[in-house]
Amino acid sequence: MPNPVNLWIYNLLLRFSPSVARWLFPRLTRYLGFIKRWGTVPSDNHTYIPNVQTLFHARQRTEVKQVSVATWQDLDFDEVFLQLDTCVTYLGKNALYETLRTYRSEPDLTLRFEAIEQLIEKSDIRQSVQMSLTQLKDQPASSLISLLHEDAVPVKRSRLIVFQSVLSLTTVLACFYSVFFAVALAAINFVVSLRMQQRVSRFMPGYVQLSSLLFCAYSLAEIKGGESMQYLSRLSEQRSRIFWLGQRLRLLAIDRGGGFGVVTLLFHWLNLICLLDSLIYIRGSKIIEQNQEWLLDLLTDVSSLDELNSIGNYIVAKKVICNPEFVEGNTLTLVNAYHPLLETPVANSIDIEHQSILVAGSNMAGKTTYLRTVGVNVILAQTLWFAHAESATLGRFELTTAIKRDDAILKGESYYFAELNLILKMIEKAQQSGPHLFLIDEIFRGTNTTERIAAAAAVLEVLCRTQTVLVTTHDVELLDRLGDCYVLIHFEETGNPEQPFDFKVRDGRPQGRNAIKLLDRLGYPHEIVSKANAIVAEIEALKLGSD
C-alpha cells in the first residue's frame, strides 16, 4: 500500500500538473496504473510478435505437442495473444507466447490455474508482484534467453585471454619506459580487442539482463504472504542463493549505454587497455555454466508470475468463461461458445461424439467464424484451461486447420495445389494415434463443382473414420454421399438488407430462399430477380426428374 501522505500529495499535484506528479512519484504512478488497468483488455497493444517468440524457439520442446504455425495463423492467434497480453516484462510475454503454442497436461493446467486464482483473489500480492516485475520492464528478453539456453564460446581459451589482458595492462606501465613500446602494444591490443569483441559482444547485453533478473527475483522472494503460491514459494526458498549470485554478477553487468556517453567511452578505453569485456565473459560464462539449470528454473518462475498475472487479468475482463472437462475419445461439446476477438459475438454450441460436421450457408453468414470459434476455444482449453463458453467437454484434440490459403501465391503455388498439400497432411495425421480435430473451410474450393464434390466426399469419408472433422461447404449434396458419419448444420440469411444474417447455427439443411429475396430488397432490377427465380425452379425440376 502507498504511503497516505505521498498519495495525498500525488493527487493534489495531478490537479495542477500531472507530468510533475508522475515525475516525482514514478513508482506510485505505476502502482496506481496497475490498479486502474486491472480487469481490462488492452485495445492498443503494439507488441511485435517476433520479439516474443525467442523463448519458444530456444526451448525446442519436442516431447510435447505444439500448435503449428499454420494453425496459429489460420485462427488469428496473434490477435488473441495481443488481447491476453498485459505482461509487465518481455520475459512474461515470451512465456505467454510459449504457453499458447504448447498443449499442456491436465495436472499442469490445474496447478497453473490455481496460481492464477490466487493472483486474482489476493490483490495485495498481485500488486506487489507487478511492482517487483517493473525492474525488468521494457528490457528486451532475447539476449538473456539466448545467454541461458545457448552454449557460449568455449571457456578453455580463458588463460590466453587473461594473459592478453595482463599484457594489455603493461601498456600503461610502458608509457613511462618507452613510447614506441607502448604504441606497439596498443596496436596489438587493439587488434586482439576487436577479435575478442566479435566473439563475446553479443553476450554482454545478456549479463545486464541477468543481473536485473536476479534483483527482480530477490524482490519477488521478499513478498509476504505468497508461501501458498508455488512460484513465490520457490523463490523465497532460494532467496539467499539469489542474493549471493546477484552480488557476484553486479559489477559484471553495468549497462554500457550507447552513443558517446561517458560510460560508453570509458568501457571502450577499458576494453582497449585490459580487454574488460573478455574478462567479464570468462567470469560470467563460468558462473552460468555452474548454475545454468538453476538459472533456467529461476527464469521460468519469474516469467510465469508475469504471464499468469496477465492471464488472470484477462479472465476478470471476460465474464463468460469456463474450465473445460477433459474426457477420453473424440467428444466435443461447447455450450454457447463465442469468439473472443468479436466485440459483439453471437454464441453458438456444438455437441458431437465420434461424429463430424458439415457446415452449410452463404458467404459471410458465419461459417468460418464458427470454425474459428471452435478452434480457438479447443486450443485455449488445452493451453490455459479455460474456454469462452458456458461449459466445455472435450477430448485432448490435436488441432490442424485449412482455412487461409492466401500465402500460396507468394510461395509460387496455385491455390488448389496448396490446399491439396494441407489436406494430404490431414490424411497422414488421421492415421496417427490420439484424437485429431480437422477444421476445413470450403474444401477444394479451388476447382470445378463436379470434381470438388467427388474429391471432397472421398477425402471426408476417410478422415471421419477415426477423427473429427468440421468442414464448411456450399455443396449440401455431400451429405447424401457421406452417410451417418457427418451431421449437417447451416447458417441462414434473414432476408433483411440492414441485417442480412443472424449468425445463429441451425440443424439440418438450409430451407429458406432468402438469398434471392435479398437481391430484390436491395433494389436489383426486376429482370435479374425474376430470371434467378426461374433458373432455381428449372434446377429443382431437373433434380426431381433425375430422382
Side-chain angles (χ1 to χ4, degrees), residues 24 60 171 201 258 274-275 395 423 471 511 547:
L24 287 175
Q60 297 179 343
T171 305
S201 59
C274 63
L275 304 176
I423 301 299
V471 54
Q511 300 298 322
D547 292 342

Side-chain angles (χ1 to χ4, degrees), residues 224-478:
K224 305 297 183 184
E227 295 78 9
S228 60
M229 194 179 302
Q230 57 169 330
Y231 303 99
L232 289 176
S233 176
R234 283 200 296 262
L235 290 173
S236 180
E237 291 170 1
Q238 299 290 328
R239 182 168 48 189
S240 59
R241 185 174 182 180
I242 294 170
F243 179 80
W244 172 79
L245 201 56
Q247 293 301 315
R248 290 191 67 186
L249 286 172
R250 190 167 192 169
L251 296 178
L252 305 180
I254 301 173
D255 193 343
R256 287 137 179 78
F260 297 95
V262 175
V263 175
T264 303
L265 293 175
L266 175 63
F267 270 91
H268 282 322
W269 279 104
L270 288 174
N271 280 323
L272 184 61
I273 295 172
C274 63
L275 304 176
L276 180 63
D277 277 351
S278 299
L279 294 175
I280 289 175
Y281 169 73
I282 294 169
R283 181 173 175 81
S285 59
K286 286 181 178 179
I287 292 174
I288 292 173
E289 184 180 19
Q290 294 166 358
N291 300 275
Q292 186 173 22
E293 291 301 320
W294 181 82
L295 286 170
L296 286 171
D297 291 339
L298 187 76
L299 183 145
T300 298
D301 285 339
V302 172
S303 60
S304 293
L305 281 167
D306 196 8
E307 168 212 358
L308 297 177
N309 193 65
S310 179
I311 297 169
N313 175 80
Y314 181 85
I315 290 171
V316 172
K318 296 286 185 178
K319 305 301 181 185
V320 183
I321 66 163
C322 67
N323 295 122
E325 178 186 356
F326 296 117
V327 295
E328 297 293 329
N330 293 50
T331 296
L332 178 53
T333 301
L334 298 172
V335 177
N336 289 330
Y338 65 96
H339 198 294
L341 297 182
L342 298 178
E343 290 186 8
T344 55
V346 176
N348 282 298
S349 300
I350 182 173
D351 185 11
I352 52 176
E353 185 173 0
H354 300 290
Q355 282 183 310
S356 295
I357 291 181
L358 284 174
V359 187
S362 304
N363 289 333
M364 300 179 67
K367 302 190 307 296
T368 305
T369 300
Y370 183 74
L371 291 192
R372 288 195 170 115
T373 298
V374 172
V376 166
N377 283 298
V378 166
I379 288 179
L380 291 178
Q382 298 180 87
T383 57
L384 302 183
W385 203 49
F386 69 73
H388 301 83
E390 291 180 6
S391 65
T393 305
L394 64 152
R396 297 308 303 268
F397 289 106
E398 183 178 348
L399 195 65
T400 307
T401 60
I403 297 176
K404 292 181 180 179
R405 287 80 148 187
D406 300 337
D407 59 346
I409 296 175
L410 298 176
K411 296 178 181 178
E413 300 176 351
S414 72
Y415 183 93
Y416 181 55
F417 186 75
E419 185 175 21
L420 288 177
N421 285 328
L422 285 170
I423 301 299
L424 180 59
K425 290 179 181 177
M426 291 184 179
I427 295 171
E428 293 169 350
K429 285 189 174 183
Q431 312 306 317
Q432 300 173 5
S433 61
H436 287 263
L437 175 62
F438 302 123
L439 305 182
I440 308 172
D441 189 27
E442 295 188 17
I443 186 169
F444 296 141
R445 58 188 168 187
T447 189
N448 63 79
T449 303
T450 302
E451 290 186 299
R452 178 175 67 244
I453 293 175
V459 167
L460 293 176
E461 183 181 355
V462 169
L463 291 179
C464 78
R465 288 174 186 168
T466 56
Q467 307 299 345
T468 302
V469 187
L470 271 67
V471 54
T472 66
T473 182
H474 294 286
D475 305 313
V476 293
E477 299 88 347
L478 278 172

Side-chain angles (χ1 to χ4, degrees), residues 147-161:
L147 180 70
L148 296 182
H149 284 85
E150 295 180 7
D151 292 329
V153 180
V155 186
K156 62 183 180 181
R157 299 178 182 271
S158 59
R159 292 183 180 179
L160 176 60
I161 296 172

Side-chain angles (χ1 to χ4, degrees), residues 516-532:
I516 296 178
K517 288 181 182 177
L518 194 56
L519 298 183
D520 189 25
R521 293 189 180 184
L522 286 172
Y524 273 62
H526 179 71
E527 177 186 0
I528 293 176
V529 176
S530 298
K531 184 67 173 177

